[in-house]
Every structure is written in structure tokens, then in C-alpha cells.
Amino acid sequence: GVGIVRGLGVSVEAATDAPDGRLRVESGYAIDPCGNELVLGRGAVLALPEDGERLFVSMRHWDRPCSPVPSTGGESMPSRIEEVCVVALVDTVVEPAIVLAQLLHTEGQWLVDPAFVPPRLRCCSTGE
């Protein structure tokens, strides 16, 4: 399946250094539509924009090229690939990203939409 397995709760908090507050995503684990494991070990904090009406909190897998080394052709090539996940605020969630929450901008502040239900995976340990 696809979705949140554990954690990845989303909240909006007031902040003196960010006039429109901050978005906090708790640590957790999810699986995207391609079967990639998305692990957010320490959580994430993002500044919220001043304007807009609706945003989605998304998470996606990214293979990040690292440690370039020279190749025989003279060009540099990555010596390894680091698997990371990217948390972002977007207008539209495009697969293979998954959506963690929907934010609504009402009365001059951002709020997590309590009516929005993100995809969640259910673990079954009944032995069936």
C-alpha cells in the first residue's frame, strides 16, 4: 500500500521569527506509490508563506548524488547516491509524492484542516 505508516503528524505553531508561523512535521515513516520507504528521522520545520488559501504538506523520495569524483572523460560523476526524503509546501501533490496534510489560510492564519484525512497504511498482525 501507499501512505503513512507511523508518525508524520503535522502542526502549525506561532513563532516570533516567522510572522505567519511555522509548520512542524513530526518524525515518522511512510511508503510512496513507487514502494520507496520515506523516513523522516528528526522531523522538519518550515516557515509558512504570508499569503495563499490552501496548501498541501507533501513528502517525496529523492536520490541525491553525492561526493563527485573525476571520471576518465574529465567530467565529474557522483561517487554515491544518498536516499533522502523532501518535505515541502505545495499547491498540488504530484505522484510519487504523498500528502501529509492540508493547510487552510483563514482569518489571517494557517491551520491544519481537521477534515482532511491523509492516506495511512494499516499494519495487520493477526496472522491471516
Side-chain angles (χ1 to χ4, degrees):
V2 174
I4 300 167
V5 177
R6 177 180 67 243
L8 300 174
V10 174
S11 60
V12 173
E13 57 188 35
T16 56
D17 61 340
D20 291 288
R22 280 186 273 206
L23 175 81
R24 181 171 300 277
V25 180
E26 298 170 2
S27 62
Y29 173 73
I31 298 176
D32 74 10
C34 296
N36 293 308
E37 297 177 349
L38 305 173
V39 179
L40 189 61
R42 295 185 184 179
V45 177
L46 301 170
L48 290 164
E50 291 182 24
D51 52 356
E53 294 179 18
R54 180 182 75 163
L55 288 173
F56 293 100
V57 182
S58 73
M59 187 171 170
R60 68 177 176 84
H61 175 84
W62 180 39
D63 285 334
R64 182 177 150 231
C66 297
S67 302
V69 294
S71 69
T72 55
E75 300 172 9
S76 63
M77 303 283 291
S79 63
R80 65 177 190 252
I81 303 292
E82 179 182 30
E83 292 185 0
V84 298
C85 65
V86 177
V87 176
L89 294 168
V90 296
D91 294 323
T92 305
V93 179
V94 179
E95 283 192 8
I98 64 166
V99 63
L100 303 179
Q102 177 175 268
L103 304 179
L104 301 174
H105 198 233
T106 57
E107 298 180 15
Q109 64 182 355
W110 287 101
L111 301 171
V112 177
D113 181 358
F116 181 83
V117 180
R120 293 200 169 271
L121 283 175
R122 303 272 185 230
C123 295
C124 179
S125 60
T126 61
E128 295 179 11

